[in-house]
Every structure is written in C-alpha cells, then in structure tokens.
Amino acid sequence: MLQVLGMSCGGCEQRIDAVLRRVEGVRDVTADHTTGAVRVRIGPELSDRGVLVERLETAGYEVVEGASQ
C-alpha cells in the first residue's frame, strides 16, 4: 500500500489508476481519495517498486515515505 497526498476526488483515483497500470508488472490498482490509500498488486516482473513512486510523483502526487508495503 502507498499513502498518497494530493488526491481530492474520483477523477484523481482514475488518473492514478491509469498512470500505474501503464507500468509493466502492475496487475491491479485501487485508489481511495478519502483515505489517500493506493493499493497496487504487482507481478514478479516488477522488482523495483520505486518506479511506482516515481510515476505518481511525475503525475503530481506526493507519496508519503515509509508507507509502502
């Protein structure tokens, strides 16, 4: 799970979903703007989860450090 700041509506959830699904190895994304939680299910081909943080930050969101599981 990632804790993401800057989500304020359902449109943000959809944008995050679209951004992360373009990453090879991402199998499923669930974003909740009310809690700031983004759950990402990944396959074994995605060994560097840092790419997820990078993509979210490039899209204008802030990922809270230490919130990744």
Side-chain angles (χ1 to χ4, degrees):
M1 184 186 78
L2 300 169
Q3 190 64 38
V4 179
L5 303 177
M7 284 194 289
S8 59
C9 64
C12 293
E13 294 172 355
Q14 292 174 350
R15 182 172 183 209
I16 285 174
D17 184 274
V19 164
L20 294 180
R21 285 184 188 268
R22 286 191 288 253
V23 175
E24 185 177 342
V26 170
R27 306 269 170 94
D28 190 40
V29 177
T30 305
D32 183 347
H33 76 276
T34 60
T35 63
V38 177
R39 287 182 170 71
V40 185
R41 190 168 59 94
I42 60 172
E45 62 274 21
L46 182 60
S47 60
D48 181 10
R49 295 178 187 203
V51 71
L52 302 175
V53 173
E54 180 182 309
R55 296 288 176 93
L56 288 169
E57 290 177 347
T58 298
Y61 300 97
E62 181 182 348
V63 179
V64 178
E65 287 296 316
S68 177
Q69 294 182 12

